[in-house]
Amino acid sequence: MTTFDDREKGFERKFALDAEQEFKATARRNRMLGEWAAGLMGLESPEEYVRAVIKSDFELPGDEDVLRKVAGDLKGSGLDTTEGDVRMKMDELLAQAREQIKNG
């Protein structure tokens, strides 16, 4: 095997690891987002809602499905929370989740 082949395999491993870590960070972000939204809505048992938020991420590629679900649920419960507020919270929580994954 040449040095080029070794480097190629190294890049492939790094790409796979980065993709796995990003998936884990997104799932953790969705859990934290569900907990945050459940707290705002005053749900007594937030775990079912958290599972629904996590599940909503598998409907479409990207984050729009999660954003739509949480923003719609917050609005439906009578809260004055905008999609922009939810998007900012999602960004904040994703940064926290990435840091948690990175630190183990």
Side-chain angles (χ1 to χ4, degrees):
M1 210 180 257
T2 66
T3 303
F4 180 75
D5 291 334
D6 291 341
R7 286 185 57 170
E8 182 179 10
K9 291 206 183 296
F11 283 125
E12 288 172 359
R13 283 191 298 272
K14 182 173 179 351
F15 179 80
L17 178 63
D18 290 348
E20 179 183 351
Q21 287 180 332
E22 189 63 17
F23 176 80
K24 288 179 180 180
T26 301
R28 187 172 292 194
R29 186 252 351 242
N30 291 343
R31 172 170 289 286
M32 292 188 295
L33 183 68
E35 291 168 350
W36 171 76
L40 289 178
M41 292 185 285
L43 300 179
E44 290 182 23
S45 178
E47 192 57 37
E48 186 175 326
Y49 183 72
V50 169
R51 281 194 299 271
V53 171
I54 292 170
K55 186 178 177 184
S56 73
D57 192 25
F58 296 105
E59 293 173 7
L60 299 170
D63 294 333
E64 294 303 311
D65 42 2
V66 175
L67 173 68
R68 232 182 350 268
K69 169 155 187 50
V70 173
D73 291 347
L74 290 171
K75 190 171 196 165
S77 68
L79 295 170
D80 191 25
T81 308
T82 66
E83 280 192 14
D85 295 335
V86 175
R87 188 175 302 279
M88 284 187 348
K89 191 64 173 180
M90 288 174 71
D91 292 342
E92 174 189 326
L93 293 174
L94 184 58
Q96 287 178 17
R98 284 178 178 150
E99 191 65 29
Q100 290 173 2
I101 297 289
K102 181 178 141 187
N103 293 332

